[in-house]
Amino acid sequence: MSLDLEDIRSAARHCGLQEIYFKKASAVISFAPPTNSNKFRRINVYYTTGTVGTCIDHPSQGATQLFRRGVGIDLLKQLMLEPRTHTGDGYHRNISRQDTENEHGPNPSDEETELLTERDRLRVEAATVSAKLNEVDAALVDYARRREEKEREEMQRIRRGELRREAYINEIT
């Protein structure tokens, strides 16, 4: 979904944002509040695809960037007013400390680079999750083995008890 540059700039002016970055080669334009805002540092709009990245200071995760794809002008205006708006869509990445040296956060890379970076981060996260799943699976297998062993021991105790009772009955008869 492509967005018109003039519509984007008009929406930003209406929301009280200043244009801080434009790179035609990467098809990205960025805006920030005129003063340091508790809401966010900047909003990056990849206007040829409708992808929007909002750079915020998350209370527990630190500096993060949340991406939403296929954003129309109405949602863009909403995000410019309230960048933490939950759309039920999107993905995020943490911004490294070196990227936060600029008061508005890092200048955006082209969208492909942002996506490749996010894919790499997700692969590392997936590997970590996979390793944890393997640990849990191994613990479950061990638990099942111990439970079966306990059941076998209980069956042996029952059989021994039955044999003793049978021997006692034979003895008294």
Side-chain angles (χ1 to χ4, degrees):
M1 166 179 287
S2 181
L3 295 168
D4 180 72
L5 266 176
E6 286 313 308
D7 289 345
I8 296 169
R9 286 182 168 126
S10 173
R13 278 191 302 276
H14 176 75
C15 295
L17 302 178
Q18 297 175 335
E19 185 174 328
I20 58 169
Y21 184 81
F22 174 73
K23 188 170 184 181
K24 188 174 185 173
S26 298
V28 64
I29 187 168
S30 302
F31 302 91
T35 59
N36 285 343
S37 168
N38 290 338
K39 288 186 176 183
F40 68 107
R41 292 176 174 212
R42 73 185 297 143
I43 185 166
N44 301 318
V45 182
Y46 298 90
Y47 53 88
T48 58
T49 62
T51 297
V52 175
T54 51
C55 300
I56 63 172
D57 288 320
H58 192 276
S60 61
Q61 297 176 3
T64 60
Q65 187 169 13
L66 178 62
F67 292 91
R68 297 167 183 94
R69 295 170 42 174
V71 172
I73 196 69
D74 291 333
L75 180 55
L76 176 62
K77 289 176 188 175
Q78 186 178 348
L79 292 171
M80 287 177 165
L81 290 171
E82 185 49 62
R84 295 178 191 269
T85 298
H86 288 275
T87 61
D89 192 13
Y91 60 93
H92 83 279
R93 74 175 178 99
N94 290 344
I95 300 172
S96 70
R97 182 166 289 151
Q98 69 186 23
D99 286 341
T100 61
E101 291 173 1
N102 177 344
E103 68 176 301
H104 300 297
N107 284 333
S109 302
D110 61 82
E111 187 174 2
E112 180 182 21
T113 301
E114 295 282 356
L115 290 169
L116 290 169
T117 300
E118 180 63 9
R119 183 185 66 187
D120 291 344
R121 186 193 68 76
L122 288 171
R123 283 185 174 158
V124 168
E125 190 176 312
T128 302
V129 168
S130 179
K132 287 180 181 179
L133 282 171
N134 288 340
E135 289 174 15
V136 169
D137 287 343
L140 286 170
V141 166
D142 186 52
Y143 178 79
R145 182 192 54 76
R146 286 184 283 134
R147 184 183 64 233
E148 289 171 1
E149 187 176 306
K150 191 175 181 180
E151 288 171 356
R152 273 194 305 275
E153 288 173 358
E154 184 64 23
M155 290 301 292
Q156 287 174 350
R157 277 195 292 273
I158 291 170
R159 284 189 191 125
R160 281 191 300 256
E162 288 174 355
L163 288 175
R164 281 190 207 122
R165 186 176 41 167
E166 204 174 285
Y168 175 75
I169 292 172
N170 287 338
E171 201 175 287
I172 58 172
T173 55

